[in-house]
Amino acid sequence: MNEVFDRSPSLDDLLPGPERESACGHLATLIDADMALLDAAGGVVWGALEPNAVRVPLVVELEPIGHLAAAVAVAKLQAAAAILREILLTRYRFLMTSRLHVESIAADYADLLEQHAALQASEARYKDLSAELEQRVATQVKLLDERQRQLYQAENLASLGRLAAGVAHEINNPIGYVRSNLASFANYLQRFAALKARLTDTAAAWQELDIDFLLRDGTELVAESIAGIDRVARIVGDLKGFSNVDRAEEEVVDLNDNLKQVVSVLQGQLPTGVSIDAEYGELPGVLCLPGHLNQVFVNVVRNAMQAIADSNRPGTVSIRTRPVDAGVEVSVSDTGVGMTPDQRERAFDPFYTTRDVGQGTGLGLTVARDIAHAHGGRIDIDSRFGFGTTVTMFLPT
Amino acid sequence: MPELDGARLTFKLVYYGPAKSGKTTNLMRLHDLVAPQLKGELMTLDTQGDRTLFFDLLPMGFVAPSGLLIKFRVFTVPGQVAHDGTRKAVLSRADGVVFVADSQITEETNNAESFRNLSDNCARVGLDFDRLPLVVQFNKRDLSPILAEDEVRQRWTGVSWPLTFATALSGTGVAETVTLLLRALFRKFDQELELSSHHGIDEAAFVAGILP
C-alpha cells in the first residue's frame, strides 16, 4: 500500500540520496567550507562534521528534522539552511499532494466499484423483471388467442342461427301453401265421394258439384305443391352444402356453385330495398375447403348488405366472378355507406368494428382474410366513403 | 486514533463543510490568533481562485510537563462536491472535526448535504461518527439573511455536538470553536492516552497549550 499522505516527514523522505548529494554539494560550495548534514538523531548523513562547527536546525513543520553544521559564521550557515528548507518544503508539498492524489483516486475507485456492484444488482433485477414480463405477455397472448377463437366460434354459431332463421322463413312459405293446397285437395276428394251417391243424375251432379273446376284447380294445386316441395328440397340441399363448415377435406370445386348457395341462403335475409345481382363467369376448379370459403363469402356479402341498409337508400350487391392469371377472382361490390380512410386502414384489425356493442364482433373480415391467406389467396378492399365498397378476392387454382 | 510516536503525540483535526463556507479563512485566522509554543506556517496546497483543491495544513503544538510533544495538524477539506475522493482521503484518520456551515439561509441545502456527506464519509473511512469529537460552527454571521442564533439552537436541539457562531473573516468565534474541539478531544482521549495521569495535563492545560 502507498504511504499515507499526512505522515510527518523525515529527512530521508524530503531529501533522498541523489538530491541530497547535489543540494548539499552546491551549498558547501556557496558557504565555501566543509559542511555536514545531520539527521534528527544527530547522525551525519552527508559531509564531514568539523569539531568547531556551528549547527543550524532545519524545521519544516514544528520540530527540526535535521541540522546543517559547518565551521562558518552563523549568519552564513543560516542562509544556507534557509535555502535548503525551501527545497525541503517544496518536496514536502509535492509528496503530500502526490500521495493524497493516490489516496483520493483509490477512494474514487472504491466508490466506482460500489456503484458498479449496485448497477449489477439493479441490472440483474431488471433481467428478472424482463423475463417475468415476457412470460406474462406470452400468457396474455395465449389467453387472447383463446378468447379470439371462442369469439370466432360464437360468431360461427350466430351465423348458423341467422342461417337457420332465413331457412325457416324460406321453408315456411312453400310449406304454408302446400298445407293449404292439401287441405283444399282433401275437400275436393270429399266432393268426389259425394259424386258417387249421385251418379244417377250424372250430368246434373257433375254440374252442381262443379267437378270441372275441381279437376282444373286440383291439377294446379298438385303442380303448385310439387313445385313447393321441390323448392324445399332445394333449400335443404343448399343448406346441407353450405353447413359443411367442419368438413376438413379439400376438394376441387366451382366457386360459382358456392356463391350460388350463399346467395340462396342470404336471399332470405335481404333487408328491404337491397337486391343481389350476380354475374358468374366460367371458372376453373379451385382446390379448397368449400365450407371455409362459404364462410368468407357469407361474411363479405352480408357486410355489403348491411352497408346498403345503413345508407338508408335502395341499392344492389353486385357479385362478379372471372378467371384470372393462375386463379379466380371474386368481387363483391355494394352501393352502401363506404368507409373512411381510417376505417379502411383498420378494417382487417381483429375486434375493430363500427357497429354498436353486441352488433358486430369485428372479426368478420379478419377471419375472411385469415381464410383467404390459408388458401394462398388475397383479399383487398377498395372503398369510397358515401359511395360504396368493393371487396376483391383472389384464390389460386 | 492519535499517533503516538516516541515522545511525540499527533492529533489530526479536520475542518469540514460545504464549498466557500470559510474553512480556509478559519485556519488563516487561527494561525494569526493562537500563540502556542510551537506554530508552523499555514501551508496552502494549490487553490483555484479562492477554492481549495487539495487541502490546507496548519501545524501547532506544545510540550507537556512530562516532556511529551503534543502536536496538532489541522487540515481543511475541499468543499466542492466533485472532490469527494480528496475529501475522504483528508478525513481519513481524523481525531476531531469542525463542521463549518454557512449561516446564510440560501445555503441551508448545501449545509445539509455536506453534513450528510460528512456522516457518510466517516462511515466509509472507518470513523465512528457518533463518538467523533465534533463542533458545528455557523460561520458568516455578518451576512444576511441568516437565521437568529436562538432559532438555529432550537433547530439543533437534542444533538450532542456543541454549536458555535463565528465570523471567521474578522476572527470572531474562531478561537471559541477550537477551544470547544480541544475540550471534546481531551475528554475522549484523556484516559486512553494517560494525559492527566501520566503527562500532567488537565483539560484547561490542554486548551492553554494552544490558546494561552
Side-chain angles (χ1 to χ4, degrees):
Chain A
M1 184 56 202
N2 293 288
E3 293 272 14
V4 297
F5 84 93
D6 52 352
R7 195 165 64 82
S8 289
S10 70
L11 188 60
D12 280 343
D13 289 332
L14 301 188
L15 202 60
E19 282 89 342
R20 184 182 305 169
E21 218 40 64
S22 155
C24 291
H26 291 311
L27 284 173
T29 309
L30 277 179
I31 61 172
D32 194 19
D34 282 335
M35 189 187 80
L37 178 64
L38 312 176
D39 62 16
V44 177
V45 294
W46 187 88
L49 183 58
E50 296 287 311
N52 54 345
V54 289
R55 295 184 184 203
V56 175
L58 295 164
V59 178
V60 170
E61 240 180 26
L62 294 178
E63 318 142 75
I65 56 167
H67 288 83
L68 270 190
V72 292
V74 174
K76 208 172 190 181
L77 192 59
Q78 272 170 343
I83 291 172
L84 187 56
R85 180 170 179 274
E86 286 306 321
I87 295 172
L88 294 177
L89 265 180
T90 305
R91 172 85 182 159
Y92 183 31
R93 282 161 194 268
F94 162 74
L95 270 185
M96 279 203 289
T97 44
S98 65
R99 285 171 180 171
L100 176 68
H101 183 65
V102 171
E103 271 192 66
S104 74
I105 295 253
D108 284 340
Y109 181 65
D111 263 3
L112 281 178
L113 284 182
E114 228 172 79
Q115 282 173 19
H116 180 65
L119 277 176
Q120 272 183 329
S122 144
E123 189 197 356
R125 219 165 35 243
Y126 277 111
K127 265 188 187 161
D128 288 353
L129 252 174
S130 130
E132 194 192 324
L133 201 62
E134 252 170 54
Q135 209 205 322
R136 277 166 61 178
V137 166
T139 315
Q140 283 296 319
V141 164
K142 202 174 151 213
L143 195 68
L144 277 175
D145 251 17
E146 269 169 28
R147 289 280 148 78
Q148 183 167 343
R149 275 201 297 277
Q150 282 167 5
L151 272 170
Y152 177 44
Q153 195 65 33
E155 162 83 343
N156 268 342
L157 287 175
S159 304
L160 283 176
R162 281 193 290 274
L163 179 70
V167 167
H169 177 76
E170 276 297 286
I171 290 180
N172 262 344
N173 249 342
I175 292 286
Y177 59 77
V178 167
R179 172 73 180 72
S180 151
N181 289 354
L182 290 176
S184 299
F185 202 70
N187 196 19
Y188 294 170
L189 288 177
Q190 298 228 322
R191 291 228 227 148
F192 278 110
L195 182 63
K196 189 184 177 189
R198 297 175 59 176
L199 274 179
T200 45
D201 52 347
T202 316
W206 189 273
Q207 200 66 42
E208 205 174 310
L209 290 172
D210 199 5
I211 299 302
D212 282 333
F213 166 76
L214 292 194
L215 286 176
R216 203 170 57 244
D217 196 41
T219 311
E220 264 178 44
L221 291 187
V222 170
E224 200 180 325
S225 296
I226 287 170
I229 292 293
D230 284 350
R231 194 167 146 197
V232 171
R234 201 175 65 246
I235 292 169
V236 171
D238 285 350
L239 188 60
K240 217 172 134 195
F242 178 80
S243 61
N244 275 340
V245 179
D246 293 332
R247 196 169 57 197
E249 284 161 36
E250 291 197 325
E251 48 187 297
V252 177
V253 297
D254 181 348
L255 285 184
N256 286 337
D257 295 340
N258 294 59
L259 281 164
K260 282 173 195 165
Q261 282 175 7
V262 167
V263 168
S264 136
V265 165
L266 290 177
Q267 203 93 45
Q269 302 180 9
L270 279 183
T272 327
V274 179
S275 59
I276 294 182
D277 163 42
E279 242 181 67
Y280 302 114
E282 197 162 312
L283 299 181
V286 171
L287 182 65
C288 65
L289 294 167
H292 287 209
L293 282 185
N294 284 351
Q295 181 75 45
V296 173
F297 297 148
V298 165
N299 287 348
V300 172
V301 174
R302 192 158 46 206
N303 280 352
M305 284 158 50
Q306 279 175 339
I308 294 170
D310 289 347
S311 73
N312 288 319
R313 46 174 202 257
T316 309
V317 178
S318 308
I319 301 172
R320 301 280 180 276
T321 61
R322 65 187 182 107
V324 290
D325 186 30
V328 303
E329 189 184 87
V330 178
S331 71
V332 177
S333 304
D334 66 68
T335 56
V337 289
M339 301 178 192
T340 63
D342 179 53
Q343 288 170 342
R344 157 70 194 86
E345 190 66 32
R346 301 190 55 194
F348 291 114
D349 289 356
F351 306 112
Y352 176 76
T353 177
T354 56
R355 306 199 178 278
D356 290 339
V357 174
Q359 294 298 303
T361 60
L363 280 173
L365 282 175
T366 314
V367 168
R369 188 187 54 181
D370 288 349
I371 292 173
H373 285 177
H375 284 82
R378 283 193 310 273
I379 180 164
D380 295 308
I381 295 180
D382 182 26
S383 186
R384 285 181 64 204
F385 184 65
F387 291 93
T389 301
T390 299
V391 177
T392 309
M393 287 159 279
F394 165 82
L395 291 160
T397 44
Chain B
M1 183 64 198
E3 196 184 330
L4 187 58
D5 164 25
R8 191 193 302 125
L9 176 64
T10 310
F11 289 94
K12 178 175 181 180
L13 309 181
V14 173
Y15 276 63
Y16 210 93
K20 296 191 139 184
S21 65
K23 299 175 289 295
T24 302
T25 311
N26 257 280
L27 237 59
M28 284 160 69
R29 289 298 160 268
L30 198 57
H31 179 258
D32 302 342
L33 287 172
V34 300
Q37 289 177 355
L38 299 163
K39 179 168 76 171
E41 288 161 41
L42 173 63
M43 204 184 291
T44 295
L45 276 259
D46 210 7
T47 57
Q48 195 174 57
D50 53 352
R51 305 186 137 195
T52 304
L53 283 187
F54 288 94
F55 58 86
D56 308 308
L57 168 58
L58 174 63
M60 12 182 228
F62 65 94
V63 180
S66 65
L68 177 73
L69 168 63
I70 298 179
K71 262 179 85 173
F72 298 92
R73 306 178 89 208
V74 190
F75 289 87
T76 61
V77 297
Q80 291 170 79
V81 177
H83 296 313
D84 200 45
T86 310
R87 203 158 36 240
K88 228 185 291 181
V90 174
L91 184 66
S92 302
R93 305 171 293 275
D95 300 306
V97 170
V98 172
F99 183 82
V100 182
D102 189 328
S103 290
Q104 296 177 90
I105 287 171
T106 50
E107 299 299 311
E108 269 177 22
T109 316
N110 290 339
N111 291 335
E113 264 169 27
S114 178
F115 197 78
R116 194 174 318 122
N117 177 257
L118 168 62
S119 146
D120 290 350
N121 278 345
C122 276
R124 292 202 182 108
V125 302
L127 293 176
D128 182 354
F129 185 61
D130 295 327
R131 295 194 60 236
L132 180 73
L134 171 68
V135 176
V136 177
Q137 180 196 75
F138 281 84
N139 191 20
K140 304 198 186 179
R141 299 304 295 171
D142 55 330
L143 296 184
S144 65
I146 57 173
L147 283 182
E149 288 192 19
D150 285 349
E151 196 154 348
V152 175
R153 287 197 190 280
Q154 203 177 348
R155 287 194 184 189
W156 287 68
T157 334
V159 303
S160 52
W161 312 293
L163 305 183
T164 63
F165 297 86
T167 306
L169 208 55
S170 67
T172 315
V174 170
E176 187 200 347
T177 306
V178 177
T179 305
L180 286 171
L181 184 63
L182 290 173
R183 288 189 191 283
L185 214 56
F186 182 86
R187 277 174 224 147
K188 180 171 180 190
F189 294 109
D190 176 23
Q191 273 204 318
E192 200 176 339
L193 299 170
E194 304 175 313
L195 293 177
S196 47
S197 61
H198 190 268
H199 296 289
I201 323 166
D202 58 12
E203 190 173 315
F206 191 72
V207 175
I210 294 301
L211 299 154

